[in-house]
Amino acid sequence: MHGQTWPSVATTQASVLASDWRIFTIAGLAVAVLVWGLILFAMARWGRARRTDALPPQFRRNNALEITWTAIPLVIVCALFVYTYHAEADVEALATHPDVRVHVNAYRWGWTFAYTGGPTIDGTAADPPQMLLPLGRTTRIELTTSDVTHAFWVPDFLFKRDAIPGIVNRFDLAPDKVGTFLGRCTQFCGLQHAHMTFTVRVVPPDAFDRWVHGGAS
């Protein structure tokens, strides 16, 4: 299991979201540098005026400047919105024919992973279960809950989805990194909520096929 605090980006969907986050970070830093630069420039250019009791150049209106500092942020926000919209559409897209289907049921305070045509893994807060997924294949998750609202969250997948009573939430995961990743419930659901964890183990496809058909993994 990974011990780092920064997610490792372990699915193709997570890579899309990570790119979106990087673009937001770059855009935010660019705006910050511009604002800080203008502040420092004003301090350096007109700071001496305070020592001579003279005012810097004064003006009441500059239409071109006002339009510019209104239009540029608007363009940035619109561009970030459009990019994020397409990124989230890619993450939310469901494959026509997923390679694996797993029904994930949350309950206080554990998880059940039922594979279509394969085994069912059950676990509790005292004995957390492990979900096995094949590397490079698309897995369809069908998420439900037996009681209250829970949430399926795997930090390294950059993905969280609520399990809501009476609703089946479907989403796809396509792991692109071998390893074991921690998952947990992120909706407060009772006294044992903090211990409602699970792990996701990503293995090569041949190892997954042996396991799902009753062999060793």
Side-chain angles (χ1 to χ4, degrees), residues 133-193:
L133 295 181
L135 178 70
R137 293 181 181 175
T138 299
T139 298
R140 171 70 46 78
I141 304 294
E142 297 179 346
L143 180 63
T144 60
T145 174
S146 297
D147 38 55
V148 299
T149 298
H150 299 280
F152 178 96
W153 182 48
V154 182
D156 290 291
F157 293 175
L158 303 186
F159 189 88
K160 181 179 80 73
R161 182 59 52 85
D162 287 348
I164 302 171
I167 295 177
V168 180
N169 274 324
R170 296 178 175 85
F171 54 91
D172 288 349
L173 297 174
D176 57 7
K177 182 177 296 186
V178 171
T180 302
F181 309 98
L182 177 66
R184 61 176 68 251
C185 174
T186 58
Q187 291 284 358
F188 181 72
C189 52
L191 296 178
Q192 296 297 315
H193 161 72

Side-chain angles (χ1 to χ4, degrees), residues 4-194:
Q4 78 274 12
T5 57
W6 190 259
S8 64
V9 187
T11 68
T12 57
Q13 292 85 356
S15 297
V16 174
L17 291 176
S19 296
D20 191 37
W21 293 2
R22 282 192 292 269
I23 289 175
F24 266 80
T25 301
I26 293 171
L29 288 175
V31 171
V33 169
L34 175 61
V35 172
W36 295 336
L38 291 174
I39 292 174
L40 293 175
F41 170 77
M43 292 172 60
R45 177 66 177 81
W46 291 292
R48 184 177 301 176
R50 291 179 300 178
R51 296 193 292 272
T52 61
D53 294 326
L55 291 175
Q58 304 293 301
F59 59 89
R60 291 181 177 273
R61 181 177 301 173
N62 188 320
N63 291 336
L65 184 61
E66 292 176 5
I67 292 173
T68 299
W69 71 39
T70 301
I72 291 177
L74 183 61
V75 170
I76 293 174
V77 169
C78 289
L80 292 175
F81 174 83
V82 171
Y83 185 86
T84 301
Y85 176 83
H86 287 290
E88 291 187 351
D90 289 342
V91 172
E92 297 285 345
L94 297 178
T96 305
H97 302 291
D99 301 296
V100 181
R101 291 180 182 269
V102 185
H103 177 206
V104 177
N105 186 61
Y107 58 91
R108 292 185 293 188
W109 287 276
W111 304 84
T112 297
F113 306 140
Y115 290 77
T116 300
T120 296
I121 310 299
D122 193 35
T124 64
D127 185 21
Q130 182 174 90
M131 176 190 294
L132 210 71
L133 295 181
L135 178 70
R137 293 181 181 175
T138 299
T139 298
R140 171 70 46 78
I141 304 294
E142 297 179 346
L143 180 63
T144 60
T145 174
S146 297
D147 38 55
V148 299
T149 298
H150 299 280
F152 178 96
W153 182 48
V154 182
D156 290 291
F157 293 175
L158 303 186
F159 189 88
K160 181 179 80 73
R161 182 59 52 85
D162 287 348
I164 302 171
I167 295 177
V168 180
N169 274 324
R170 296 178 175 85
F171 54 91
D172 288 349
L173 297 174
D176 57 7
K177 182 177 296 186
V178 171
T180 302
F181 309 98
L182 177 66
R184 61 176 68 251
C185 174
T186 58
Q187 291 284 358
F188 181 72
C189 52
L191 296 178
Q192 296 297 315
H193 161 72

